[in-house]
């Protein structure tokens, strides 16, 4: 069999592997949801564990490694032997880019698209800059890491869009109840709807603040494939750049022979612009190992072959210069300073709305680990975890924040810590999680109905999940407008008991701005951000529990 | 305060209770009204917690039998909606939700009485996917043959209630379209209402801004109860939550009463529930309001009623 014939089979094999990888990614993402069973599987985050960029960045920032992240060494080993096959064969974002690239118009412009551009060095610059930042403790890798980008985009933008399409269509069909003859369409729409609602979204209707920005960036990354195939992978992806460094001496190399007729088909088929068409100038740091060029060659002039790794590959240069490296490092330092200079980044201020999920490490350590992937937001059963915009500074862009107006921290849940790929949110036992304070409820007496409007309302107390209630009542005689008084139960917060879960704020009848709101003060993770000296003046010392009604035992005799 | 000990209670109801052991109709002659309220409580040795499930089922079965059997309420081919309290993400042991075995037994009884479909669902306070699971109700009801229904926020429909406080409100169509709605609350403490029982359980058939109801809870409950026209309510007092309700969470607040009561008169049932929780019915504002609105009788002892002891 000719080299091209063999390569065509290999290309089909690659497509099958890519499809499987993408399906595995989507399957794991969808499985990252509240479900039966005690603990979330550690394999849900396996893509991040396989990502050496996450490993490197976390290690540089924290001098530690998380969970199964040493699996990334498998990726490194594979790259050292086979080149950037992770990009070409496995990466689900790369596969998506491949698919979009295939939609390009065929024709004359294609030869151009396969030509190497010096701008492809940009990704190396980004990698260097991001690693410099990580070394000094600013972990912004997740913004550009392919798994951070893809998971965040799918979670906050794509899946909610699917939910809107499926949910609204099904609801419209349900309301109109159209029939084909005697066959009700709801017979089809309802099972589909229920499948998505119960199996994919686990009963939530997810919606995320700032999803528009994430969606625009994701859409741009996809659309740019029409400008250059796999634009993102060629020019931007810092993981691709890192793997490119490992692949330069890989023993599986493209052998280019004299049989070449310079027809250029290999270049047109090359998604990486790795110069298969220039004998002796193939770029192993760019090549995805996709075998397209071998399959496209009509004269078998190119083929992959094993060479001993100690022999220098016959390869071209991407033209990385010392000057370029210095520019990248300087950019990293500049980026570091921009992100680090605001007062909040220097731990001199605390944002009241920055309520981190339970188990989140102290802010500095948290930011050194969080890769902004949004898996915690995907897992959160109440849709309470939302991506920040600037609440945590630009440094903390798209990190998770609890927004009690939109949801609350479910008392019996600890899923966010279980799915976090970098242990930015630590795994807690349920008992420990229930004791972890993420904030403190504050009553706004200018809004609260029993204080401000002389009406009874106990919704916050009713929902408070702390077994002995962190919200209690003080019965107060309130003067009425027309004279006379009314006795009302006015809620108060027991600061020693409140864990800041936010269900009081989520359920308050004031829908626009709740009359009871959670602030980040009091969070367990920050000894400084504390208004209360715990236990200093216990409210119910020695007395009856103020929230308990008297209970007479009817059978007590 | 009226204190009813088990002994005095049995004495008071000895004649009626004894008669109720006979088939309904025979007890007091053919003309006697069927009981409006039936109580089943465990007698004899207190069973272990582990055997509570089968006991809850027997109590439910007996309470319904004493009330005249499920056939009294379910006709062949009916669609029945069972409305337990599935409000909170709490395990059955914490008594924040209706006992799953009580629900499952009702499903079985409805199907045996000829119901075509039995649906089980509630509009919970916590997220439904979790409360349905944690409460054990989804699994138990499905195993008994029910269709477990999640209520969709987008599918509530505004309905004219014609109440004093509530002219109209968002209700769940599937519930109000059912041939029979069985209201199955668990008896619990509540910070505002003191006790949450059958009338308050109707807060799970409504949508909208129901958190505003607390500003005039009693009238709102009267309005929704009048609209729902209850025909059968079953009170789960197998375990009751005595403090820090309605969500609870502290096992020390839970008390076993090993009792299930069924009634056609929701006010009578709530009055009984109030007593079980240690209140005088007259101290529960919604019971007073409902009686004033002629929705039923708080003095349940004045009604034909039956009591059975289940071993």
């Amino acid at each position: 069999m000719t080299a091209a014939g063999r390569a065509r089979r290999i290309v089909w094999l690659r497509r099958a592997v890519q499809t499987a990888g993408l399906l595995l990614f989507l399957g794991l993402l969808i499985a990252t949801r509240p479900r039966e069973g005690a603990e979330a599987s550690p394999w849900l985050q396996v893509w991040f564990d396989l990502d050496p960029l996450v490993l490197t960045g976390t290690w540089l920032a924290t001098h530690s490694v998380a969970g199964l992240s040493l699996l990334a060494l498998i990726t490194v080993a594979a790259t050292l032997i086979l080149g950037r096959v992770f990009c070409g064969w496995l990466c689900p974002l790369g596969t998506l880019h491949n698919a979009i690239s295939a939609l390009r118009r065929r024709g004359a412009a294609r030869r151009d698209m396969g030509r190497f551009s010096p701008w492809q060095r940009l990704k190396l610059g980004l990698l260097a800059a991001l690693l410099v930042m990580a070394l000094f403790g600013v972990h912004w890798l997740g913004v550009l890491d392919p798994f951070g980008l893809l998971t965040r985009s799918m979670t906050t933008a794509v899946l909610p869009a699917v939910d809107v399409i499926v949910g609204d269509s099904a609801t419209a069909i349900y309301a109109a109840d159209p029939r084909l003859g005697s066959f009700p369409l709801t017979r089809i729409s309802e099972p589909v709807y229920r499948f998505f609602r119960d199996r994919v979204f686990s009963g939530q209707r997810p919606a995320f603040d700032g999803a528009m920005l994430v969606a625009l960036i994701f859409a741009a990354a996809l659309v740019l494939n029409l400008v250059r195939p796999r634009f993102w992978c060629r020019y931007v992806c810092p993981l691709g750049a890192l793997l490119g460094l490992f692949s330069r001496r890989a023993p599986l190399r493209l052998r280019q022979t004299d049989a070449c007729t310079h027809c250029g088909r290999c270049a047109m088929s090359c998604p990486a612009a790795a110069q298969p068409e220039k004998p002796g100038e193939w770029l192993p740091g760019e090549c995805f190992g996709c075998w397209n060029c071998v399959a496209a060659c009509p004269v078998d002039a190119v083929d992959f072959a094993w060479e001993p790794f100690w022999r220098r590959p016959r390869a071209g240069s991407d033209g990385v210069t010392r000057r370029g490296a210095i520019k990248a490092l300087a950019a990293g330092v500049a980026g570091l300073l921009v992100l680090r200079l605001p007062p909040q980044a220097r731990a001199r201020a605390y944002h009241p709305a920055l309520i981190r999920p339970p188990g989140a490490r102290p802010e500095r350590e948290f930011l050194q680990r969080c890769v902004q992937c949004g898996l915690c937001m995907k897992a959160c059963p109440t849709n309470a975890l939302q991506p920040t915009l600037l609440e945590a500074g630009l440094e903390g862009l798209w990190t998770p924040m609890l927004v009690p107006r939109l949801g609350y921290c479910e008392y019996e849940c600890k899923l966010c810590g279980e799915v976090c790929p970098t242990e930015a949110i630590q795994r807690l036992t349920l008992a420990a999680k229930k004791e972890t304070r993420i904030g403190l409820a504050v009553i706004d007496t200018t809004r609260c109905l029993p204080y401000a409007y002389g009406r009874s309302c106990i919704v916050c107390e009713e929902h408070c999940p702390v077994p002995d209630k962190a919200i209690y009542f003080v019965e107060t005689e309130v003067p009425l407008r027309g004279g006379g008084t009314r006795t009302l139960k006015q809620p108060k917060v027991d600061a020693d008991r409140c864990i800041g879960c936010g269900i009081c704020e989520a359920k308050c009848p004031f829908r626009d701005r709740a009359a009871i709101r959670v602030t980040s003060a009091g969070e367990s993770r920050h000894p400084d951000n504390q208004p209360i000296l715990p236990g200093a003046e216990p409210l119910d010392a020695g007395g009856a529990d103020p929230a308990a009604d008297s209970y007479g035992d009817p059978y007590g005799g | 305060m009226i204190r009813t000990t088990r002994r005095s209670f049995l004495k008071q109801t000895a004649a009626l209770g004894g008669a109720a052991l006979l088939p309904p109709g025979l007890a007091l002659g053919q003309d006697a009204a069927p009981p409006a309220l039936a109580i089943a409580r465990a007698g004899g040795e207190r069973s272990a917690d582990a055997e509570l499930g089968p006991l809850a089922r027997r109590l439910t079965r007996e309470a319904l039998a004493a009330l005249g059997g499920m056939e009294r309420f379910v006709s062949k081919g009916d669609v029945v909606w069972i409305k337990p309290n599935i409000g909170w993400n709490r395990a059955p042991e914490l008594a924040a939700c209706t006992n799953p075995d009580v629900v499952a037994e009702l499903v079985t009884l409805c199907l045996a009485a000829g119901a075509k479909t039995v649906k089980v669902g509630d509009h919970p306070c916590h997220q439904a996917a979790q409360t349905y699971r944690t409460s054990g109700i989804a699994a138990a009801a499905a195993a008994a043959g029910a269709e477990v229904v999640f209520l969709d926020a987008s599918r509530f429909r505004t309905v004219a209630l014609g109440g004093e406080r509530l002219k109209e409100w968002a209700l769940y169509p599937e519930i109000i379209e059912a041939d029979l709605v069985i209201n199955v609350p668990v008896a619990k403490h509540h910070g505002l209402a003191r006790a949450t029982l059958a009338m308050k359980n109707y807060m799970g058939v409504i949508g909208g801004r129901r958190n505003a109801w607390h500003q005039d809870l009693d009238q709102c409950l009267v309005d929704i109860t009048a609209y729902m026209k209850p025909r059968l309510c079953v009170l789960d007092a197998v375990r009751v939550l005595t403090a820090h309700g309605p969500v609870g969470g502290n096992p020390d607040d839970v008390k076993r009463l090993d009792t299930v009561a069924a009634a056609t008169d929701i006010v009578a049932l709530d009055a009984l529930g109030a007593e079980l929780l240690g209140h005088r019915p007259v101290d529960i504002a919604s019971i007073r309001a409902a009686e004033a609105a002629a929705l039923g009788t708080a003095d349940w002892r004045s009604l034909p009623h039956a009591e059975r002891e289940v071993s």
Side-chain angles (χ1 to χ4, degrees), chain A residues 106-129:
Chain A
R106 314 201 168 239
R110 289 189 62 190
R111 186 180 297 252
D112 232 24
M113 290 182 168
R115 194 167 292 159
F116 175 77
S117 153
W119 280 103
Q120 288 174 231
R121 294 173 303 189
L122 175 68
K123 60 180 177 295
L124 274 165
L126 287 171
L127 172 70

Side-chain angles (χ1 to χ4, degrees), chain A residues 78-331:
Chain A
T79 309
L80 285 172
I81 297 167
L82 301 169
R84 272 174 76 183
V85 287
F86 188 82
C87 306
W89 287 63
L90 217 48
C91 176
L93 184 59
T95 302
L96 270 185
H97 287 317
N98 250 20
I100 308 272
S101 301
L103 298 175
R104 275 171 310 137
R105 195 162 49 88
R106 314 201 168 239
R110 289 189 62 190
R111 186 180 297 252
D112 232 24
M113 290 182 168
R115 194 167 292 159
F116 175 77
S117 153
W119 280 103
Q120 288 174 231
R121 294 173 303 189
L122 175 68
K123 60 180 177 295
L124 274 165
L126 287 171
L127 172 70
L130 289 170
L131 290 182
V132 168
M133 288 161 69
L135 182 62
F136 289 97
V138 173
H139 195 3
W140 231 49
L141 286 163
V143 172
L144 292 177
D145 176 81
F147 295 102
L149 176 94
L150 183 59
T151 307
R152 174 173 67 240
S153 306
M154 294 299 292
T155 295
T156 65
V158 178
L159 288 177
V162 171
D163 175 57
V164 166
I165 293 167
V166 175
D168 289 8
S169 312
T171 302
I173 293 173
Y174 176 84
D177 199 11
R179 278 150 205 279
L180 289 176
S182 64
F183 182 80
L185 268 185
T186 48
R187 201 77 66 75
I188 299 170
S189 65
E190 285 302 281
V192 172
Y193 170 58
R194 281 198 204 112
F195 171 81
F196 275 92
R197 186 190 63 187
D198 302 338
R199 305 269 154 217
V200 180
F201 299 112
S202 202
Q204 347 163 1
R205 298 219 59 188
F208 294 92
D209 267 334
M212 185 98 79
L213 179 62
V214 175
L216 280 175
I217 292 170
F218 187 52
L222 294 182
V223 168
L224 283 170
N225 287 302
L226 304 180
V227 178
R228 288 285 182 279
R230 295 194 65 163
F231 185 101
W232 168 272
C233 318
R234 278 194 202 181
Y235 297 98
V236 187
C237 184
L239 175 60
L242 182 65
L243 295 176
L245 295 178
F246 291 125
S247 68
R248 293 184 177 220
R249 292 297 282 262
L252 184 67
R253 294 168 186 170
L254 191 70
R255 185 176 290 160
Q256 298 156 302
T257 67
D258 300 341
C260 177
T261 60
H262 301 285
C263 70
R265 287 185 203 181
C266 54
M268 282 193 280
S269 71
C270 179
Q275 298 194 152
E277 79 281 14
K278 295 189 179 166
E281 292 189 47
W282 171 66
L283 298 171
E286 300 291 325
C287 176
F288 300 153
C290 75
W291 292 72
N292 274 0
C293 53
V294 185
C297 183
V299 294
D300 284 352
V302 286
D303 195 8
F304 279 98
W306 296 100
E307 286 180 11
F309 66 87
W310 58 83
R311 190 183 302 163
R312 255 184 106 75
R314 275 186 74 225
S317 161
D318 54 9
V320 170
T321 59
R322 193 175 305 165
R323 194 174 294 247
I326 289 171
K327 275 194 277 186
L329 297 180

Side-chain angles (χ1 to χ4, degrees), chain A residues 41-64:
Chain A
S41 162
W43 296 105
L44 292 175
Q45 318 94 324
V46 71
W47 288 105
F48 292 91
D49 294 329
L50 287 170
D51 181 341
L53 185 63
V54 169
L55 175 68
T56 312
T58 308
W59 182 75
L60 283 177
T62 69
H63 313 296
S64 67

Side-chain angles (χ1 to χ4, degrees), chain A residues 190 193 197 381 462 489 507, chain B residues 125 130 152 155 190-191 211:
Chain A
E190 285 302 281
Y193 170 58
R197 186 190 63 187
E462 177 183 47
K489 293 178 166 177
K507 302 288 182 180
Chain B
C125 298
Q130 299 183 46
D152 274 288
R155 298 188 176 181
H190 188 275
N211 283 345

Side-chain angles (χ1 to χ4, degrees), chain B residues 37-58:
Chain B
L37 178 83
I39 308 164
R41 29 176 133 248
E45 291 275 299
R46 184 186 153 95
S47 61
D49 280 353
E51 290 156 27
L52 206 52
L55 176 63
R57 286 179 194 247
R58 288 199 300 277

